[in-house]
Amino acid sequence: MTGPAPDRAKVALVTGSSSGIGKAVAERLAADGHRVVINSVRSVEEGEKVAAGLPDAVYIGADVSVEEQARNLVAQTIEHFGRLDVLVNNAGRTRAVPHADLTGASPELWREILDLNVIGTWQTTVAAMPHLTRTGAGCVVNISSIAGSRPAGSSIPYAVSKAAIEHMTRLLANTVGPEVRVNAVAPGLVETAWTQNSDFFAPIAEHVRKTAPLRRVGRPDDVAEAVAGLTRAHYTTGQVLLVDGGAHLI
Ligand code: NAD
């Protein structure tokens, strides 16, 4: 396609899209013809750079764990593009705490992780819902993790936050149809800033390379491909798609 996107081009908002999986998702949806909103909270320069590299994208900074900022993010999206068709709730955080270190998973850590991963996802979705509904074919894709359904993950609070996102996905799907579909993608280990050069993830990566059916660790574009597929899967809602090279089988 050449020239500016037509006015009717769909608009996608990807939270936490200045790097890693979110960036790959934003780039993939842009390649599919979406106009895209890039978001992050701290890495403003990186986010602006991602937006500048796409045909019709804008960067909007917001901490989605703060309700007012999540609402503003959606409001500014509508102000800029006039519509919202796809919301990808990707922003998330973790900290590596061995599961056996029960006191290491402090109440503060629980609150920090749940505030962004669960409540951030919820309040961004709630703010976006009237606009997604208006299109008649809105789509939400939540980024979960293999840790949401397997006894794995960087910490118990992180794994529980992803399990919550998966059930939120099913409950919302059952509530907001037929106008809006809600699905999730649950990646296994993916090479991003979080996981590269990490003592915690290195042995897991080695295990995945040796034993998972597809014999490699995931790349951000593997996850982006699955998200893009779900945006087109018009008869699919309430699903959680594992994108893990088969690692759940080992
Ligand atoms: P990343 O650190 O590269 O990206 C995180 C993004 O979120 C960044 O753009 C960051 O600026 C943004 N962000 C952080 N806090 C935010 C906030 N409060 N408000 C808005 N944006 C915020 O990490 P990643 O590895 O690409 O992870 C992205 C998602 O994928 C997370 O939800 C994570 O749980 C999930 N995930 C990652 C892996 C993996 O192996 N990397 C595996 C499974 C699931």
Side-chain angles (χ1 to χ4, degrees):
M1 192 166 64
T2 54
D7 281 349
R8 284 174 291 103
K10 287 186 173 181
V11 174
L13 164 57
V14 185
T15 68
S17 43
S18 62
S19 64
I21 292 170
K23 175 173 181 262
V25 169
E27 290 172 343
R28 183 66 170 80
L29 294 180
D32 278 356
H34 290 80
R35 296 178 285 169
V36 178
V37 177
I38 305 297
N39 155 258
S40 70
V41 60
R42 269 177 297 274
S43 37
V44 176
E45 241 175 71
E46 291 92 323
E48 286 176 341
K49 217 168 124 193
V50 175
L54 298 175
D56 196 355
V58 65
Y59 172 80
I60 303 174
D63 180 343
V64 298
S65 70
V66 178
E67 189 185 8
E68 199 192 344
Q69 293 191 35
R71 272 208 233 109
N72 279 342
L73 172 61
V74 172
Q76 285 182 53
T77 298
I78 299 302
E79 212 170 282
H80 188 86
F81 283 128
R83 63 185 290 164
L84 179 59
D85 303 85
V86 176
L87 169 65
V88 181
N89 286 304
N90 167 76
R93 71 161 54 111
T94 190
R95 201 182 309 154
V97 179
H99 291 197
D101 180 8
L102 300 189
T103 53
S106 65
E108 292 72 29
L109 182 67
W110 274 97
R111 288 192 190 96
E112 229 177 72
I113 290 178
L114 295 180
D115 255 4
L116 176 58
N117 297 10
V118 181
I119 299 173
T121 295
W122 175 257
Q123 59 206 13
T124 310
T125 305
V126 169
M129 199 53 72
H131 307 289
L132 295 167
T133 304
R134 197 163 301 134
T135 71
C139 172
V140 178
V141 182
N142 295 322
I143 304 301
S144 180
S145 162
I146 190 172
S149 59
R150 297 293 184 282
S154 45
S155 71
I156 289 181
Y158 175 76
V160 170
S161 77
K162 294 302 189 179
I165 284 176
E166 294 189 5
H167 204 41
M168 187 195 297
T169 298
R170 289 183 283 267
L171 294 168
L172 273 175
N174 197 33
T175 305
V176 299
E179 293 87 358
V180 181
R181 297 180 300 110
V182 186
N183 292 291
V185 170
L189 191 66
V190 179
E191 272 169 359
T192 68
W194 273 21
T195 51
Q196 278 167 330
N197 310 317
S198 148
D199 292 344
F200 179 84
F201 288 110
I204 305 171
E206 201 41 37
H207 184 58
V208 168
R209 284 190 193 101
K210 280 201 179 123
T211 55
L214 299 188
R215 296 289 196 278
R216 68 172 174 84
V217 169
R219 295 185 298 258
D221 62 293
D222 294 319
V223 183
E225 187 62 31
V227 172
L230 284 172
T231 67
R232 292 189 301 266
H234 301 302
Y235 197 52
T236 299
T237 195
Q239 289 297 314
V240 178
L241 178 60
L242 270 168
V243 177
D244 67 345
H248 65 283
L249 300 170
I250 61 181

